[in-house]
Every structure is written in structure tokens, then in C-alpha cells.
Amino acid sequence: MRSIWKGSISFGLVTIPIKVVSATENHSVSFRQVHTVDGGQIRYRKVCELDEEEVPREEIGRAYRTEDGRSVLLSDDDLAALPLPTARTVEILGFVPAEQIDPIQLDRTYYLAADGKRADKPYVLLREALTRSGKVAVAKLALRARESLAMVRVYEDALALHTMLWPDEIRPVSGVAPESRVTVRDAELDMADALMETLGELDFGELHDEYREALEELAEAKAEGTEPEAVGREPAAGTGKLVDLMSVLERSVQEAAQSREAGEATVHELDGRRGRSASGGGAAKGTTRGAAKGAAKKTAAKKAATKKSAAKKAGQGKAGGAAASRGKKAAGAQGAAKKTASGKASAKKTGSRGSSSRKTA
């Protein structure tokens, strides 16, 4: 990874030479602006407003506008010569518990890499000290033409730096929350707790950008002159009307339970597919990837009540075996559980074959 900043961490009298590298990347779909008549690309040219000539990149500088409207040209050398101790140093100010820093202050994330062998020992020292204390370091540094607060913490076996907004950059929260008095009944809170419990824990490794995938499929289909399959979750209904909150919560709990069961069955199905794909050679990777994408969309489509009913009828003969297999799984019979879960997934797949299973196959 290419470093974007070089300097050192000032930890008391300890100096740790470091390189700063980006820890995240943006996978957003990018568009180009084109002329809709002939498809020609629309480009932006930097033009000087005085002579109306296009200016090359090497002739573009930065200027600071004063309060009286004058522009003062500042060069890179001028900025590098600023008498700031944080110009090339991550200056640690103190150590606090991580929960003391509100996530709203966090901005960009970077990795701090040890710069050279002489940095290894103090780097590991700071990492282990942070780990043992359970705290994070609050620091200051000058990065990208501004001085920022930063939080330094341990991430896996490395040090990560999160730039932070200054307190005066956080807008006040007044006028955001409802101003009228709202009463929430205990029964509604209990049902919300039940919904949270039903949704369960989250596996971040299984999350993916469905919008980007759908957009890429749409573009590929248009490029080939075909129409993309209309598969996916129906748009949420409008929220302008007053609703019975309890009935909505109850329905949400039911749908979450159904989705969770379908997701577990899909996992077993994909495990079986991966096993067969592993012995199938080079085409296995594309098949498994397509199955995973189709299965995720199929799970969302199975939430509809009518499709659920059809799936239940198709798999009624295997329902008792699925329940028994879950009991056996608790006792340790993993092989029987996987076989039954795969049968259940196949039965539900039969009910929703008209919408999304075509792509999975």
C-alpha cells in the first residue's frame, strides 16, 4: 500500500517512525457524464477566468482569501514551513477509554505502519501498552492541509488511526428529535425487544452491497441488449399514514423469524454447493458466487406471505423431519441436520422458483 504521509508518533520521549496508509477503499459505482444525443463524454476543464485559457495541472496553486477579499498565494514550501509540532508528528495528548469518544466524531481511517527496523520495538511497545490498558490514544496531527484530532487504537496486530472532527465541527442536535411528548407503552417496548432478539446477531462478513450488484447487472444486461431479471425485495410502503405500531411490530417479528429460518437453510444449501463445486474444477468459483448472490435475493423474496404458504405446502412432508433434525443437531448429529436443512431449502426453493431461483440455477 502506498503511504500518503510520513512522520513519527511522539509517545512522551519515545519516537516511533511511521508511514500512514489508507485503511479503507470506496466501492461505489462511478458514472460518467455524457451527451445523451451522441454519447460523447462531458469533461471538466480548468480555465482561468482572466484569460479564458485552460490551465495545466502544474500551474495550479492554492490561495488563501483574506477577510477583505484579497487572495494570498501559498506554495507547498510555505505550508511545509509552518511552525507546527504536528506537521510531521502524531503527537499523543493522552489516553482515554474508547467508549468516551462518540462515533460521531470519527472521520477517516488509516493504518500506521512501522517505518524501518528501528521502529519495530517502540511500535510494538505502544501496541501492547494500549492492549493491556484497554484504552485508546488521543492525538493531533497535520494531514491534508489541516490539523486534526485523531484516535490511535489497536486493530488486529497493527495500529489504526482515525481522524476526528473538532468539537465545534459537530452540529447541535436541537430540532432533530420529535419535540412533542411521545409515550411508548411497555407492551410496545417488549415487542421491540422480541424483534431485536429474533433478528439476532449480525455477521458482517455476509453483508454486501445489493444496490451496486443490481446496478452492475442492469448495465451488463443493457450492454448485451437484454432486459435484466426483476428480482429482489419490493420497495417499502410509504410511511405517511398512521399505523398500529403493535401490529407492525408483531408482523416484523414473524417475518424476521421466517427470514432467519430461510437464511439458515440457505447456508446449508450453499455449503453443499461449495462441496460439490470444489470437486468440479475451475467453473466452481463462478457457480458458487452466482448461487450466493441469487440465494441472498431469494431469501428476501420469500418473505411474502403467499410464497411462504406455497413453500410450506411443497415441503409439508418434510417439515416433521426438519423439526426432528434440529433436535438431533442440538444433540450433536450434524450430518442429519445438514441433510434435513438442505431438504427444507429445496422445498422452499420450489415455492419461490418463479421469481429468483431461475438465476441461482
Side-chain angles (χ1 to χ4, degrees), residues 17-202:
I18 58 163
K19 296 182 292 185
V20 176
V21 297
S22 294
T24 60
E25 56 188 7
N26 192 333
H27 288 169
S28 298
V29 177
S30 59
F31 294 99
R32 291 182 176 180
Q33 290 189 329
V34 297
H35 189 194
T36 56
V37 175
D38 54 19
Q41 186 172 344
I42 306 298
R43 300 183 181 274
Y44 292 96
R45 292 185 170 86
K46 299 182 183 296
V47 177
C48 175
E49 64 178 15
L50 297 181
D51 57 19
E52 297 185 353
E53 294 289 335
E54 186 174 353
V55 180
R57 180 184 297 272
E58 59 271 14
E59 294 183 11
I60 299 176
R62 55 172 67 89
Y64 177 81
R65 185 172 292 276
T66 63
E67 293 182 356
D68 58 4
R70 292 179 299 160
S71 292
V72 180
L73 187 64
L74 298 175
S75 67
D76 292 339
D77 293 337
D78 293 330
L79 298 178
L82 286 174
L84 280 177
T86 58
R88 285 298 171 193
T89 303
V90 179
E91 181 184 1
I92 293 180
L93 307 176
F95 299 86
V96 299
E99 57 270 18
Q100 188 172 323
I101 298 176
D102 195 293
I104 199 171
Q105 282 191 266
L106 301 182
D107 190 13
R108 300 286 299 274
T109 302
Y110 303 92
Y111 291 140
L112 302 181
D115 190 9
K117 297 296 292 184
R118 67 190 182 97
D120 290 352
K121 183 68 177 286
Y123 186 98
V124 174
L125 170 66
L126 177 57
R127 184 189 68 192
E128 296 304 311
L130 289 172
T131 301
R132 188 163 72 171
S133 69
K135 296 182 177 181
V136 298
V138 177
K140 288 199 308 181
L141 80 158
L143 180 65
R144 299 190 184 278
R146 60 166 291 172
E147 188 175 54
S148 300
L149 281 175
M151 179 182 75
V152 179
R153 69 181 182 96
V154 177
Y155 179 75
E156 296 185 358
D157 61 346
L159 294 176
L161 181 143
H162 305 265
T163 55
M164 298 168 56
L165 302 174
W166 295 96
D168 60 358
E169 293 179 312
I170 307 297
R171 292 178 175 176
V173 74
S174 58
V176 177
E179 297 180 358
S180 59
R181 183 177 179 83
V182 179
T183 301
V184 178
R185 294 180 292 145
D186 289 341
E188 293 169 337
L189 282 174
D190 293 340
M191 189 59 66
D193 290 340
L195 176 57
M196 294 169 64
E197 185 68 25
T198 304
L199 289 174
E201 297 182 356
L202 193 62

Side-chain angles (χ1 to χ4, degrees), residues 305-334:
T306 55
K307 292 182 180 179
K308 175 179 175 295
S309 177
K312 279 188 175 181
K313 291 179 181 179
Q316 191 173 4
K318 298 182 180 180
S325 68
R326 286 195 293 270
K328 292 180 181 179
K329 182 178 179 182
Q334 298 178 352

